[in-house]
Amino acid sequence: MTTFTIDPRGPFSLYEQGVFGFGQNFDTRWDGVMRLAFCVDGYSAHAGVEVRQDGELLHCEMTGDADPAVVRRQVARVISADHDGHGFAAIGEQDPVIGALQRVRPGLRPPQFYSPYEAAVWSVLSARRPARQMAAVRDALSRAHGTVFTLAGRECPALPAPAQLLRVTEFPGIPELKLRRLHEVAKAALDGQLAIDRLTAMDPDDAMRDLQRLPGIGPFYSALVVIRACGLTDVLPTQEPKALDLVRRLYDLPATPSPQQLAVLAEPWRPYRTWATVLVRAAGARLLESRAAA
């Protein structure tokens, strides 16, 4: 087992990430350990990592044969500990709404999908299907064709690497059309189209358009891959109805803001507009409830 530490620089709560439920993680139980099992960047190896927080530092224990330096960088990206968070805290001091949201979910930074490949796989699997149902299918697929790690006493399956996924010709719960689309995602990963360095070097809008060449990846899911898998901090999602409605209520606006109006309102959030939007979605309802009860 290889160990390493990560300094998230600024307010950070592993607990807040651990109980944050989204496409990568529907198990929001918390026992002090974040368990990560994933395809390592490059998509030819797997790793399992246990992450614990001790004060300001994150202590990680890695299982697997992947390059520890690559795994460390990927883990930091997945938990948004690869950017200095002091600047985000400063935005909360300038914007009273963001500051109040930060107090509701102290130290929350956006948890990311493990990689663009895994986000694209999830996009294909979950399209027009109940998310929890497809999370169970993904888990079964990973157990059958990926790698299973035992992390802090729990079995944690990692998604099949692209080459492994291409060998899957049928699987319960995955229709033939979706499986063909998954194979296209796997081929794109093997061709380097889903390499993290390639996508982050592009303008985010260009990266989204590029991803839409993949069957089954439209505007919504291309945005999910770019915004929630590449570790970018300053891409403003403007097409999320829930976030727009929460912004209206939190900022006491007369109507739901248009994308253009949101862009103006969110200008002070730079260079953390992605983080701020995730915080709005994660803590907005709770803040509104506390306002109403006051």
Side-chain angles (χ1 to χ4, degrees), residues 51-264:
V51 186
R52 296 173 175 83
Q53 184 167 11
D54 181 13
E56 296 181 354
L57 291 179
L58 304 172
H59 299 275
C60 306
E61 297 182 351
M62 168 193 152
T63 302
D65 298 327
D67 182 341
V70 174
V71 172
R72 184 184 182 280
R73 286 195 298 271
Q74 188 167 355
V75 169
R77 183 182 78 236
V78 168
I79 60 177
S80 291
D82 56 341
H83 294 274
D84 191 327
H86 289 100
F88 187 50
I91 290 171
E93 296 173 1
Q94 300 166 8
D95 184 316
V97 173
I98 296 299
L101 292 169
Q102 289 173 335
R103 290 188 290 275
V104 169
R105 298 289 297 266
L108 174 65
R109 299 188 193 179
Q112 306 280 325
F113 279 90
Y114 292 126
S115 66
Y117 164 64
E118 299 212 22
V121 167
W122 174 246
S123 298
V124 171
L125 282 176
S126 63
R128 297 182 177 84
R129 292 290 188 278
R132 289 186 178 274
Q133 175 187 332
M134 298 317 296
V137 172
R138 180 183 57 190
D139 183 88
L141 176 69
S142 300
R143 289 179 181 276
H145 297 282
T147 300
V148 179
F149 295 95
T150 299
L151 303 174
R154 292 185 197 167
E155 287 190 347
C156 301
L159 191 73
Q164 295 172 311
L165 186 55
L166 284 172
R167 292 195 289 270
V168 179
T169 57
E170 60 180 354
F171 196 82
I174 303 180
E176 182 182 354
L177 176 62
K178 283 185 180 286
L179 189 56
R180 290 202 304 269
R181 291 177 172 177
L182 290 175
H183 285 175
E184 291 301 315
V185 169
K187 292 174 184 175
L190 291 174
D191 290 342
Q193 297 177 48
L194 299 180
I196 186 72
D197 291 342
R198 174 180 181 271
L199 292 174
T200 55
M202 302 170 68
D203 177 86
D205 289 336
D206 291 339
M208 292 179 203
R209 283 190 289 269
D210 184 77
L211 288 165
Q212 290 174 43
R213 296 183 300 172
L214 292 172
I217 305 295
F220 177 83
Y221 286 114
S222 67
L224 179 143
V225 174
V226 171
I227 296 173
R228 299 305 301 279
C230 290
L232 303 175
T233 67
D234 198 39
V235 182
L236 179 65
T238 60
Q239 303 295 334
E240 296 186 12
K242 181 178 179 180
L244 290 170
D245 182 63
L246 285 168
V247 166
R248 174 187 65 80
R249 297 165 65 193
L250 289 166
Y251 285 87
D252 296 320
L253 302 178
T256 301
S258 68
Q260 295 76 18
Q261 291 169 329
L262 177 64
V264 172

